Protein backbone atom coordinates (compact mmCIF):
# COMPACT_ATOMS: atom_id res chain seq x y z
CA UNK A 1 0.00 0.00 0.00
CA UNK A 2 1.45 3.35 -1.00
CA UNK A 3 2.20 6.24 1.36
CA UNK A 4 -0.32 8.35 -0.54
CA UNK A 5 -3.11 5.99 0.48
CA UNK A 6 -2.02 5.19 4.00
CA UNK A 7 0.93 7.05 5.51
CA UNK A 8 2.63 4.90 8.13
CA UNK A 9 4.26 5.96 11.36
CA UNK A 10 7.61 6.28 9.64
CA UNK A 11 6.48 7.86 6.38
CA UNK A 12 7.89 11.32 5.62
CA UNK A 13 4.38 12.71 5.14
CA UNK A 14 3.07 11.45 8.49
CA UNK A 15 6.21 12.61 10.24
CA UNK A 16 5.84 16.14 8.85
CA UNK A 17 2.19 16.30 9.79
CA UNK A 18 2.78 15.20 13.35
CA UNK A 19 5.72 17.49 13.95
CA UNK A 20 3.86 20.46 12.59
CA UNK A 21 6.09 20.91 9.55
CA UNK A 22 3.34 20.85 6.97
CA UNK A 23 0.60 23.40 6.66
CA UNK A 24 -2.91 22.01 6.81
CA UNK A 25 -5.99 23.40 5.12
CA UNK A 26 -9.12 24.38 7.02
CA UNK A 27 -10.74 21.10 7.90
CA UNK A 28 -14.23 21.45 9.29
CA UNK A 29 -17.52 23.12 8.65
CA UNK A 30 -17.55 24.53 12.15
CA UNK A 31 -19.10 27.98 12.38
CA UNK A 32 -16.46 30.65 12.31
CA UNK A 33 -16.89 33.57 14.60
CA UNK A 34 -14.96 36.79 14.59
CA UNK A 35 -12.92 37.38 17.72
CA UNK A 36 -15.04 39.18 20.27
CA UNK A 37 -13.68 41.99 22.35
CA UNK A 38 -11.08 40.06 24.33
CA UNK A 39 -10.60 40.78 28.04
CA UNK A 40 -7.41 42.56 29.01
CA UNK A 41 -4.41 40.24 29.30
CA UNK A 42 -3.49 41.73 32.67
CA UNK A 43 -6.86 40.63 34.07
CA UNK A 44 -6.80 37.01 32.87
CA UNK A 45 -3.08 36.21 33.18
CA UNK A 46 -1.67 37.30 36.51
CA UNK A 47 1.07 34.64 36.78
CA UNK A 48 3.24 35.27 33.72
CA UNK A 49 1.99 32.56 31.40
CA UNK A 50 2.55 32.72 27.63
CA UNK A 51 -0.59 34.74 26.95
CA UNK A 52 -0.69 37.83 24.74
CA UNK A 53 -3.55 39.99 23.54
CA UNK A 54 -4.05 37.62 20.59
CA UNK A 55 -2.51 34.24 21.51
CA UNK A 56 -2.24 31.67 24.30
CA UNK A 57 0.41 28.96 24.13
CA UNK A 58 -0.13 25.34 25.14
CA UNK A 59 2.14 22.30 25.00
CA UNK A 60 1.64 18.90 23.41
CA UNK A 61 3.88 16.25 24.97
CA UNK A 62 3.66 12.72 23.60
CA UNK A 63 5.94 10.06 22.12
CA UNK A 64 6.30 10.77 18.41
CA UNK A 65 9.18 8.27 18.32
CA UNK A 66 10.03 4.99 20.05
CA UNK A 67 7.91 1.98 20.95
CA UNK A 68 4.98 4.08 22.21
CA UNK A 69 4.60 6.10 18.99
CA UNK A 70 2.16 3.49 17.65
CA UNK A 71 -0.18 4.41 20.52
CA UNK A 72 0.54 8.12 21.03
CA UNK A 73 0.42 9.29 17.42
CA UNK A 74 -3.38 9.32 17.58
CA UNK A 75 -3.31 11.53 20.68
CA UNK A 76 -1.17 14.11 18.90
CA UNK A 77 -3.51 14.08 15.94
CA UNK A 78 -6.63 14.42 18.10
CA UNK A 79 -5.27 17.31 20.15
CA UNK A 80 -4.22 19.20 17.02
CA UNK A 81 -7.68 18.64 15.52
CA UNK A 82 -9.41 19.99 18.63
CA UNK A 83 -7.12 23.01 18.77
CA UNK A 84 -7.66 23.81 15.10
CA UNK A 85 -11.42 23.57 15.58
CA UNK A 86 -11.31 25.78 18.68
CA UNK A 87 -9.26 28.37 16.81
CA UNK A 88 -11.74 28.30 13.93
CA UNK A 89 -14.49 29.13 16.42
CA UNK A 90 -12.67 32.10 17.92
CA UNK A 91 -10.13 30.58 20.29
CA UNK A 92 -10.17 30.88 24.07
CA UNK A 93 -11.08 34.19 25.71
CA UNK A 94 -10.54 35.85 22.35
CA UNK A 95 -7.09 34.34 21.86
CA UNK A 96 -5.96 31.76 19.32
CA UNK A 97 -4.13 28.73 20.65
CA UNK A 98 -0.48 28.40 19.67
CA UNK A 99 1.10 24.94 20.07
CA UNK A 100 4.60 23.98 21.12
CA UNK A 101 5.08 20.24 20.57
CA UNK A 102 7.72 18.16 22.34
CA UNK A 103 8.63 14.49 21.88
CA UNK A 104 8.78 12.34 25.02
CA UNK A 105 10.45 9.69 22.82
CA UNK A 106 9.03 6.76 24.86
CA UNK A 107 11.51 7.66 27.63
CA UNK A 108 10.24 8.72 31.06
CA UNK A 109 13.13 11.03 32.06
CA UNK A 110 12.73 12.77 28.70
CA UNK A 111 9.05 13.37 29.48
CA UNK A 112 10.00 15.05 32.76
CA UNK A 113 12.68 17.15 31.06
CA UNK A 114 10.32 18.29 28.29
CA UNK A 115 7.53 19.07 30.76
CA UNK A 116 9.88 21.32 32.72
CA UNK A 117 10.97 23.02 29.50
CA UNK A 118 7.34 23.69 28.51
CA UNK A 119 6.44 25.11 31.93
CA UNK A 120 9.60 27.02 32.84
CA UNK A 121 10.94 28.19 29.48
CA UNK A 122 7.82 28.31 27.31
CA UNK A 123 5.40 29.15 30.15
CA UNK A 124 2.56 27.24 28.52
CA UNK A 125 -0.93 27.67 29.94
CA UNK A 126 -1.62 23.91 29.77
CA UNK A 127 -0.03 20.66 28.60
CA UNK A 128 -1.91 17.97 26.70
CA UNK A 129 0.20 14.90 27.12
CA UNK A 130 1.64 11.59 28.30
CA UNK A 131 0.29 8.11 27.60
CA UNK A 132 1.88 5.54 29.91
CA UNK A 133 1.55 5.84 33.67
CA UNK A 134 5.34 5.81 33.83
CA UNK A 135 5.48 9.01 31.78
CA UNK A 136 2.68 10.60 33.84
CA UNK A 137 4.41 9.68 37.12
CA UNK A 138 7.62 11.25 35.79
CA UNK A 139 5.80 14.43 34.77
CA UNK A 140 3.52 14.79 37.82
CA UNK A 141 6.09 16.21 40.29
CA UNK A 142 7.16 18.70 37.61
CA UNK A 143 3.54 19.82 37.12
CA UNK A 144 3.07 20.23 40.86
CA UNK A 145 6.40 21.95 41.49
CA UNK A 146 5.91 24.53 38.74
CA UNK A 147 2.11 24.67 39.04
CA UNK A 148 1.16 23.57 35.55
CA UNK A 149 -2.03 21.90 34.29
CA UNK A 150 -1.85 18.52 32.54
CA UNK A 151 -4.71 16.97 30.55
CA UNK A 152 -3.93 13.23 30.63
CA UNK A 153 -5.86 11.06 28.13
CA UNK A 154 -5.09 7.43 28.94
CA UNK A 155 -7.10 4.83 30.83
CA UNK A 156 -5.01 4.13 33.91
CA UNK A 157 -4.77 2.35 37.25
CA UNK A 158 -6.23 5.11 39.43
CA UNK A 159 -4.85 5.59 42.95
CA UNK A 160 -3.95 9.17 42.08
CA UNK A 161 -5.52 12.62 42.26
CA UNK A 162 -3.87 15.98 41.71
CA UNK A 163 -4.97 19.58 41.49
CA UNK A 164 -2.64 19.85 38.52
CA UNK A 165 -4.09 17.02 36.39
CA UNK A 166 -7.39 16.42 34.61
CA UNK A 167 -7.70 12.70 33.81
CA UNK A 168 -9.76 12.40 30.62
CA UNK A 169 -9.38 8.60 30.35
CA UNK A 170 -10.97 6.06 32.68
CA UNK A 171 -9.63 4.79 36.00
CA UNK A 172 -9.71 1.16 37.15
CA UNK A 173 -13.26 0.92 38.50
CA UNK A 174 -14.67 2.29 35.24
CA UNK A 175 -12.68 -0.07 33.02
CA UNK A 176 -10.99 -3.03 34.71
CA UNK A 177 -13.64 -4.07 37.22
CA UNK A 178 -16.49 -3.46 34.80
CA UNK A 179 -14.75 -5.45 32.06
CA UNK A 180 -13.99 -8.42 34.32
CA UNK A 181 -17.56 -8.47 35.64
CA UNK A 182 -18.92 -8.49 32.09
CA UNK A 183 -16.61 -11.21 30.74
CA UNK A 184 -17.22 -13.40 33.81
CA UNK A 185 -20.99 -13.18 33.43
CA UNK A 186 -21.03 -13.41 29.63
CA UNK A 187 -18.55 -16.29 29.28
CA UNK A 188 -18.98 -18.07 32.61
CA UNK A 189 -15.25 -17.56 33.21
CA UNK A 190 -13.61 -19.11 36.25
CA UNK A 191 -9.87 -18.74 35.49
CA UNK A 192 -7.70 -15.89 34.21
CA UNK A 193 -4.12 -15.55 32.96
CA UNK A 194 -2.56 -12.05 33.14
CA UNK A 195 -0.05 -10.83 30.52
CA UNK A 196 1.26 -7.27 30.74
CA UNK A 197 4.06 -4.87 29.98
CA UNK A 198 6.51 -4.40 32.84
CA UNK A 199 5.79 -1.00 34.37
CA UNK A 200 3.42 0.62 36.85
CA UNK A 201 0.12 0.61 34.92
CA UNK A 202 -0.07 -3.10 34.01
CA UNK A 203 1.30 -4.24 37.39
CA UNK A 204 -1.06 -2.04 39.41
CA UNK A 205 -4.00 -2.78 37.11
CA UNK A 206 -3.40 -6.51 37.48
CA UNK A 207 -3.08 -6.16 41.25
CA UNK A 208 -6.53 -4.56 41.27
CA UNK A 209 -7.86 -7.19 38.84
CA UNK A 210 -6.49 -10.05 40.95
CA UNK A 211 -8.12 -8.70 44.11
CA UNK A 212 -11.41 -8.43 42.28
CA UNK A 213 -11.19 -11.91 40.75
CA UNK A 214 -9.99 -13.70 43.89
CA UNK A 215 -11.56 -11.73 46.74
CA UNK A 216 -14.81 -10.48 45.24
CA UNK A 217 -15.66 -13.06 42.57
CA UNK A 218 -13.94 -16.04 44.28
CA UNK A 219 -12.36 -17.14 40.99
CA UNK A 220 -8.74 -18.01 40.05
CA UNK A 221 -5.73 -16.31 38.46
CA UNK A 222 -3.66 -19.18 37.04
CA UNK A 223 -0.73 -17.16 35.70
CA UNK A 224 0.82 -13.69 35.60
CA UNK A 225 3.66 -12.57 33.30
CA UNK A 226 5.31 -9.23 32.47
CA UNK A 227 7.57 -8.19 29.60
CA UNK A 228 9.71 -5.07 28.97
CA UNK A 229 8.34 -2.34 26.73
CA UNK A 230 9.25 -3.13 23.15
CA UNK A 231 9.50 -6.89 23.85
CA UNK A 232 8.82 -9.05 20.79
CA UNK A 233 9.27 -12.70 21.85
CA UNK A 234 6.13 -14.17 23.46
CA UNK A 235 6.45 -17.85 22.53
CA UNK A 236 7.29 -18.92 26.08
CA UNK A 237 4.16 -17.43 27.64
CA UNK A 238 2.05 -18.64 24.72
CA UNK A 239 3.19 -22.20 25.49
CA UNK A 240 2.11 -21.65 29.12
CA UNK A 241 -1.30 -20.50 27.90
CA UNK A 242 -1.66 -23.75 25.98
CA UNK A 243 -0.79 -25.75 29.10
CA UNK A 244 -2.95 -23.88 31.62
CA UNK A 245 -5.93 -23.33 29.28
CA UNK A 246 -7.34 -20.27 31.12
CA UNK A 247 -10.95 -19.31 30.48
CA UNK A 248 -9.78 -15.72 29.89
CA UNK A 249 -6.46 -14.26 28.76
CA UNK A 250 -6.40 -10.80 30.37
CA UNK A 251 -3.89 -8.50 28.66
CA UNK A 252 -2.44 -5.07 29.26
CA UNK A 253 0.52 -5.23 26.91
CA UNK A 254 1.15 -1.74 25.47
CA UNK A 255 2.72 -0.11 22.44
CA UNK A 256 4.52 -1.87 19.64
CA UNK A 257 4.84 -5.15 21.58
CA UNK A 258 1.21 -5.83 20.73
CA UNK A 259 2.08 -6.38 17.08
CA UNK A 260 4.37 -9.30 17.90
CA UNK A 261 2.14 -10.69 20.66
CA UNK A 262 -1.04 -11.06 18.61
CA UNK A 263 0.74 -12.27 15.49
CA UNK A 264 2.51 -14.94 17.55
CA UNK A 265 -0.75 -15.95 19.25
CA UNK A 266 -2.30 -16.62 15.86
CA UNK A 267 0.80 -18.38 14.53
CA UNK A 268 0.68 -20.67 17.56
CA UNK A 269 -2.86 -21.71 16.68
CA UNK A 270 -4.70 -19.81 19.43
CA UNK A 271 -8.04 -18.91 17.87
CA UNK A 272 -9.53 -15.84 19.57
CA UNK A 273 -12.99 -16.77 18.35
CA UNK A 274 -12.71 -19.79 20.69
CA UNK A 275 -10.19 -18.67 23.35
CA UNK A 276 -11.60 -15.67 25.22
CA UNK A 277 -9.20 -12.73 25.45
CA UNK A 278 -9.99 -9.43 27.17
CA UNK A 279 -7.64 -6.50 26.61
CA UNK A 280 -7.69 -3.16 28.39
CA UNK A 281 -4.90 -1.72 26.26
CA UNK A 282 -5.50 -2.45 22.56
CA UNK A 283 -7.45 0.17 20.64
CA UNK A 284 -7.99 0.72 16.92
CA UNK A 285 -4.64 2.57 16.88
CA UNK A 286 -2.72 -0.57 17.86
CA UNK A 287 -4.82 -2.84 15.62
CA UNK A 288 -3.70 -0.68 12.69
CA UNK A 289 -0.26 -2.22 13.28
CA UNK A 290 -1.38 -5.63 14.57
CA UNK A 291 -3.69 -6.36 11.64
CA UNK A 292 -7.36 -7.14 12.17
CA UNK A 293 -6.87 -10.75 11.07
CA UNK A 294 -4.56 -11.33 14.04
CA UNK A 295 -6.91 -10.07 16.75
CA UNK A 296 -10.44 -10.62 15.43
CA UNK A 297 -12.65 -12.12 18.12
CA UNK A 298 -10.84 -10.50 21.05
CA UNK A 299 -12.73 -8.26 23.48
CA UNK A 300 -11.65 -4.82 24.65
CA UNK A 301 -13.08 -2.82 27.55
CA UNK A 302 -12.90 0.93 26.86
CA UNK A 303 -15.21 3.92 26.94
CA UNK A 304 -14.92 4.71 23.23
CA UNK A 305 -14.79 2.85 19.93
CA UNK A 306 -14.61 4.48 16.50
CA UNK A 307 -17.74 2.53 15.47
CA UNK A 308 -19.97 4.26 18.07
CA UNK A 309 -23.24 5.42 16.53
CA UNK A 310 -24.05 8.99 17.54
CA UNK A 311 -24.03 12.40 15.84
CA UNK A 312 -21.03 13.69 17.79
CA UNK A 313 -18.90 10.73 16.80
CA UNK A 314 -19.97 10.78 13.15
CA UNK A 315 -18.78 14.37 12.88
CA UNK A 316 -15.61 13.69 14.87
CA UNK A 317 -14.59 10.73 12.69
CA UNK A 318 -15.29 12.70 9.51
CA UNK A 319 -13.26 15.70 10.73
CA UNK A 320 -10.42 13.50 11.98
CA UNK A 321 -10.12 11.63 8.70
CA UNK A 322 -10.38 14.82 6.68
CA UNK A 323 -7.40 16.21 8.58
CA UNK A 324 -5.28 13.06 8.86
CA UNK A 325 -6.36 10.82 5.99
CA UNK A 326 -9.42 8.80 5.06
CA UNK A 327 -7.89 5.53 6.27
CA UNK A 328 -6.73 6.86 9.63
CA UNK A 329 -8.23 5.01 12.61
CA UNK A 330 -9.23 6.41 16.01
CA UNK A 331 -8.83 4.66 19.34
CA UNK A 332 -10.05 5.25 22.89
CA UNK A 333 -7.07 7.29 24.02
CA UNK A 334 -7.13 9.45 20.88
CA UNK A 335 -10.75 10.34 21.62
CA UNK A 336 -9.91 11.11 25.26
CA UNK A 337 -7.03 13.29 24.03
CA UNK A 338 -9.49 15.20 21.84
CA UNK A 339 -11.48 16.05 24.97
CA UNK A 340 -8.53 17.79 26.64
CA UNK A 341 -8.42 21.08 24.68
CA UNK A 342 -12.22 21.37 24.73
CA UNK A 343 -12.46 20.83 28.49
CA UNK A 344 -9.61 23.28 29.05
CA UNK A 345 -11.33 25.90 26.89
CA UNK A 346 -14.62 25.51 28.78
CA UNK A 347 -12.84 25.69 32.14
CA UNK A 348 -10.79 28.78 31.27
CA UNK A 349 -13.93 30.53 30.08
CA UNK A 350 -15.81 29.56 33.24
CA UNK A 351 -12.90 30.81 35.38
CA UNK A 352 -12.48 33.94 33.25
CA UNK A 353 -8.74 33.40 33.55
CA UNK A 354 -5.79 31.33 32.33
CA UNK A 355 -4.29 31.25 35.85
CA UNK A 356 -3.69 27.63 36.86
CA UNK A 357 -5.18 27.89 40.36
CA UNK A 358 -8.37 29.42 39.00
CA UNK A 359 -8.61 26.80 36.22
CA UNK A 360 -8.12 23.98 38.74
CA UNK A 361 -10.81 25.41 41.02
CA UNK A 362 -13.27 25.86 38.14
CA UNK A 363 -12.81 22.32 36.74
CA UNK A 364 -15.39 20.31 38.75
CA UNK A 365 -18.73 20.25 36.97
CA UNK A 366 -17.36 21.23 33.56
CA UNK A 367 -19.18 19.23 30.88
CA UNK A 368 -18.64 18.60 27.19
CA UNK A 369 -21.84 17.73 25.39
CA UNK A 370 -19.98 17.45 22.07
CA UNK A 371 -17.77 14.55 23.20
CA UNK A 372 -17.55 11.80 20.55
CA UNK A 373 -18.17 9.21 23.27
CA UNK A 374 -21.48 10.95 23.97
CA UNK A 375 -21.17 13.21 27.00
CA UNK A 376 -18.64 13.74 29.79
CA UNK A 377 -18.43 15.76 32.97
CA UNK A 378 -15.50 16.51 35.29
CA UNK A 379 -15.90 15.13 38.81
CA UNK A 380 -14.56 16.89 41.91
CA UNK A 381 -11.68 14.37 41.87
CA UNK A 382 -10.62 15.66 38.41
CA UNK A 383 -11.63 12.44 36.62
CA UNK A 384 -14.51 12.15 34.16
CA UNK A 385 -17.95 10.66 34.52
CA UNK A 386 -18.26 8.37 31.47
CA UNK A 387 -19.86 5.17 30.22
CA UNK A 388 -18.09 1.81 30.12
CA UNK A 389 -18.25 -0.24 26.92
CA UNK A 390 -17.00 -3.61 25.65
CA UNK A 391 -16.16 -4.11 21.99
CA UNK A 392 -15.44 -7.27 19.97
CA UNK A 393 -12.64 -6.92 17.43
CA UNK A 394 -13.55 -7.43 13.77
CA UNK A 395 -11.43 -8.50 10.82
CA UNK A 396 -11.44 -4.94 9.47
CA UNK A 397 -9.75 -3.59 12.62
CA UNK A 398 -12.88 -2.00 14.05
CA UNK A 399 -15.01 -3.15 17.01
CA UNK A 400 -18.62 -4.17 17.38
CA UNK A 401 -19.91 -2.67 20.63
CA UNK A 402 -21.46 -5.59 22.51
CA UNK A 403 -22.06 -3.92 25.88
CA UNK A 404 -22.36 -0.48 27.42
CA UNK A 405 -23.51 0.77 30.80
CA UNK A 406 -26.92 2.42 30.83
CA UNK A 407 -25.62 5.43 32.75
CA UNK A 408 -22.41 7.36 33.26
CA UNK A 409 -20.08 5.65 35.73
CA UNK A 410 -18.84 7.81 38.58
CA UNK A 411 -15.03 7.87 38.78
CA UNK A 412 -13.58 6.38 41.97
CA UNK A 413 -9.77 6.50 41.79
CA UNK A 414 -9.37 5.21 45.38
CA UNK A 415 -11.76 2.23 45.62
CA UNK A 416 -12.01 0.67 49.06
CA UNK A 417 -10.60 -2.83 49.24
CA UNK A 418 -8.38 -2.50 46.16
CA UNK A 419 -5.52 -0.32 47.41
Amino acid sequence: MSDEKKPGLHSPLRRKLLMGMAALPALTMLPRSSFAQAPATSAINTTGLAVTDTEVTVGILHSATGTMAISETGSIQAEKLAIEQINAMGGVLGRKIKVIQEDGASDWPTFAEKAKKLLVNDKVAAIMGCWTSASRKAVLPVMEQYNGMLYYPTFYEGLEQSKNVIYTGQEATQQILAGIDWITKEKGAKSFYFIGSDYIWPRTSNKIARKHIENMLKLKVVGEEYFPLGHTQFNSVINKLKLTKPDVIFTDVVGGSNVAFYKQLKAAGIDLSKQTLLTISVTEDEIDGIGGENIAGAYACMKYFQSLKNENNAKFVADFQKMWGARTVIGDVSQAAYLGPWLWKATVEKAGSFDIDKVAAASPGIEFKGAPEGYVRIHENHHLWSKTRVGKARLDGQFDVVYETADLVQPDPFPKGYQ
Side-chain angles (χ1 to χ4, degrees):
M1 189 172 292
S2 69
D3 278 354
E4 285 79 10
K5 292 182 179 178
K6 186 177 181 183
L9 278 174
H10 303 292
S11 73
L13 174 59
R14 185 84 172 264
R15 180 78 58 191
K16 287 181 180 179
L17 288 171
L18 293 184
M19 300 308 292
M21 295 169 66
L24 292 168
L27 54 122
T28 66
M29 299 302 291
L30 289 171
R32 292 181 176 270
S33 60
S34 60
F35 285 82
Q37 184 65 38
T41 302
S42 59
I44 59 173
N45 176 32
T46 68
T47 58
L49 299 172
V51 180
T52 70
D53 291 343
T54 58
E55 282 187 342
V56 53
T57 303
V58 303
I60 287 179
L61 176 58
H62 289 290
S63 297
T65 57
T67 189
M68 291 309 303
I70 188 175
S71 299
E72 298 191 59
T73 293
S75 297
I76 299 169
Q77 293 172 324
E79 287 155 0
K80 288 187 173 182
L81 170 62
I83 288 167
E84 188 141 334
Q85 290 177 335
I86 290 168
N87 282 342
M89 296 177 71
V92 183
L93 291 183
R95 288 152 175 85
K96 285 201 172 184
I97 303 171
K98 174 185 174 183
V99 173
I100 296 177
Q101 183 180 335
E102 296 291 346
D103 181 9
S106 305
D107 177 69
W108 325 141
T110 299
F111 267 93
E113 174 192 332
K114 297 297 187 179
K116 182 177 179 181
K117 182 257 185 188
L118 286 168
L119 294 178
V120 176
N121 296 352
D122 301 317
K123 301 188 182 303
V124 298
I127 294 176
M128 315 295 160
C130 302
W131 200 102
T132 65
S133 285
S135 63
R136 189 193 71 258
K137 288 292 189 184
V139 164
L140 181 59
V142 178
M143 304 304 297
E144 293 181 339
Q145 179 180 354
Y146 297 101
N147 200 26
M149 183 61 76
L150 173 69
Y151 286 78
Y152 175 66
T154 314
F155 37 72
Y156 86 115
E157 68 278 3
L159 308 181
E160 182 179 296
Q161 181 178 336
S162 174
K163 182 204 84 173
N164 299 91
V165 183
I166 300 296
Y167 306 82
T168 66
Q170 292 183 306
E171 46 74 33
T173 68
Q174 295 171 308
Q175 184 192 27
I176 298 169
L177 305 188
I180 289 173
D181 285 344
W182 181 85
I183 208 84
T184 299
K185 181 179 179 181
E186 185 72 15
K187 300 295 182 181
K190 292 181 172 57
S191 62
F192 294 75
Y193 200 116
F194 295 168
I195 303 174
S197 294
D198 192 6
Y199 71 100
I200 183 172
W201 176 65
R203 284 190 174 272
T204 307
S205 295
N206 290 351
K207 180 180 178 181
I208 292 169
R210 179 183 282 273
K211 286 186 176 182
H212 191 63
I213 290 165
E214 295 180 343
N215 300 345
M216 306 299 177
L217 302 178
K218 307 302 181 184
L219 304 174
K220 292 183 179 180
V221 176
V222 296
E224 186 169 355
E225 303 264 350
Y226 296 94
F227 300 92
L229 287 168
H231 189 78
T232 59
Q233 297 299 322
F234 292 94
N235 292 323
S236 175
V237 72
I238 290 171
N239 287 334
K240 292 178 183 178
L241 292 173
K242 288 184 171 183
L243 289 172
T244 56
K245 295 181 171 59
D247 293 330
V248 178
I249 303 171
F250 182 80
T251 70
D252 34 28
V253 175
V254 305
S257 293
N258 281 298
V259 177
F261 176 64
Y262 287 96
K263 286 183 176 180
Q264 288 166 26
L265 271 181
K266 184 176 182 182
I270 293 180
D271 184 350
L272 296 183
S273 67
K274 298 175 181 178
Q275 166 64 64
T276 301
L277 183 148
L278 176 65
T279 175
I280 57 170
S281 59
V282 171
T283 75
E284 293 88 337
D285 288 311
E286 288 79 20
I287 293 179
D288 204 28
I290 293 167
E293 70 279 6
N294 295 308
I295 196 173
Y299 294 94
C301 187
M302 310 279 170
K303 65 174 182 170
Y304 171 85
F305 296 99
Q306 183 178 328
S307 59
L308 281 181
K309 305 297 184 186
N310 66 61
E311 290 184 8
N312 290 350
N313 192 47
K315 185 178 188 315
F316 169 62
V317 172
D319 288 345
F320 197 102
Q321 293 182 337
K322 184 174 182 180
M323 185 171 188
W324 297 109
R327 297 181 64 87
T328 307
V329 298
I330 308 163
D332 177 275
V333 184
S334 297
Q335 190 267 166
Y338 178 76
L339 305 181
W342 287 104
L343 292 169
W344 174 71
K345 168 184 165 65
T347 310
V348 167
E349 291 175 348
K350 176 186 174 184
S353 175
F354 291 104
D355 293 354
I356 302 300
D357 289 343
K358 293 177 181 177
V359 170
S363 290
I366 291 292
E367 59 184 12
F368 182 31
K369 296 180 180 178
E373 66 185 81
Y375 168 84
V376 295
R377 184 170 72 253
I378 302 178
H379 191 277
E380 291 179 1
N381 58 32
H382 279 201
H383 295 69
L384 299 189
W385 291 78
S386 61
K387 288 190 174 185
T388 298
R389 298 178 170 96
V390 175
K392 186 175 184 179
R394 305 190 313 224
L395 278 169
D396 66 358
Q398 291 294 310
F399 287 90
D400 288 321
V401 179
V402 296
Y403 168 77
E404 72 172 33
T405 54
D407 302 310
L408 299 177
V409 180
Q410 177 172 318
D412 182 9
F414 297 96
K416 292 181 180 179
Y418 292 90
Q419 298 176 42

